[in-house]
Amino acid sequence: MKKKLVIAIYLFITIFILDQVVKYGFANLAWDVDGPYMSLKLAYNYGVAFSMFSFLEHNLKYIQLLIIVIATIYLLKNKDVFDEYYLSIALLYAGGLSNILDRFTYGGVVDYFYWHYGFEFAIFNIADVIINMAVALIIYKQIKQIREEKKQKNIKS
């Protein structure tokens, strides 16, 4: 458990700092670049995915912090969940807290990846990709666990 916690903390710190450095560059150093397929262009998201809940703009950061606090309390009471999903949890916390910090620092989440070849896609950032990777890892582990349980059940039958 302790080794997993140390790994999770290092992973969290690394991703969080990397994401904040890149966002600082776009927000303060004009790192915008136009490309034929994808551009790097500063945009602020005042909602969540695809700007949903942007009407909660000023309160959203507090709602998200409350969710983080509740999740942390849950993990403290259910250490086995952390033990099983520590990598995904580190990724979720890094991406989520980085985006929440943006709301306090810049007033909205700093986004910059803009796909525009063939169709226009929502503008997103590294933290968004990290959060999606964490969710994919959780789903993968869940599917793997269900298959293993079915296999064990068939062996016993």
Side-chain angles (χ1 to χ4, degrees), residues 101-152:
L101 180 59
D102 289 358
R103 294 183 189 286
F104 283 98
T105 307
Y106 305 108
V109 175
V110 176
D111 287 334
Y112 44 85
F113 286 121
Y114 173 50
W115 180 268
H116 53 76
Y117 180 76
F119 62 93
E120 289 193 23
F121 192 72
I123 300 177
F124 58 98
N125 61 40
I126 292 172
D128 298 335
V129 174
I130 294 299
I131 291 167
N132 283 298
M133 284 176 46
V135 171
L137 276 171
I138 291 168
I139 292 169
Y140 171 77
K141 284 186 83 83
Q142 288 287 302
I143 291 170
K144 189 176 171 184
Q145 183 180 6
I146 289 168
R147 287 183 177 166
E148 191 60 38
E149 288 172 3
K150 282 183 181 179
K151 187 189 262 185
Q152 293 298 324

Side-chain angles (χ1 to χ4, degrees), residues 15-130:
I15 292 170
F16 184 87
I17 290 172
L18 171 69
D19 189 55
Q20 283 298 304
V21 167
V22 172
K23 288 174 177 178
Y24 179 86
F26 280 98
N28 297 294
L29 304 175
W31 284 3
D32 291 11
V33 177
D34 286 322
Y37 303 106
M38 185 179 89
S39 296
L40 301 173
K41 191 178 270 325
L42 173 64
Y44 293 97
N45 184 351
Y46 302 103
V48 291
F50 306 104
S51 296
M52 291 186 302
F53 305 117
S54 56
F55 64 92
L56 293 170
E57 174 185 344
H58 300 294
N59 296 316
L60 198 52
K61 58 190 166 205
Y62 301 110
I63 294 168
Q64 290 175 319
L65 274 177
L66 178 63
I67 291 168
I68 293 287
V69 168
I70 292 168
T72 303
I73 291 168
Y74 174 82
L75 290 171
L76 289 170
K77 291 184 177 204
N78 297 279
K79 290 181 171 66
D80 57 317
V81 174
F82 178 82
D83 193 48
E84 179 73 25
Y85 295 98
Y86 70 100
L87 291 176
S88 299
I89 291 166
L91 296 174
L92 279 172
Y93 272 62
L97 286 170
S98 183
N99 281 346
I100 292 170
L101 180 59
D102 289 358
R103 294 183 189 286
F104 283 98
T105 307
Y106 305 108
V109 175
V110 176
D111 287 334
Y112 44 85
F113 286 121
Y114 173 50
W115 180 268
H116 53 76
Y117 180 76
F119 62 93
E120 289 193 23
F121 192 72
I123 300 177
F124 58 98
N125 61 40
I126 292 172
D128 298 335
V129 174
I130 294 299

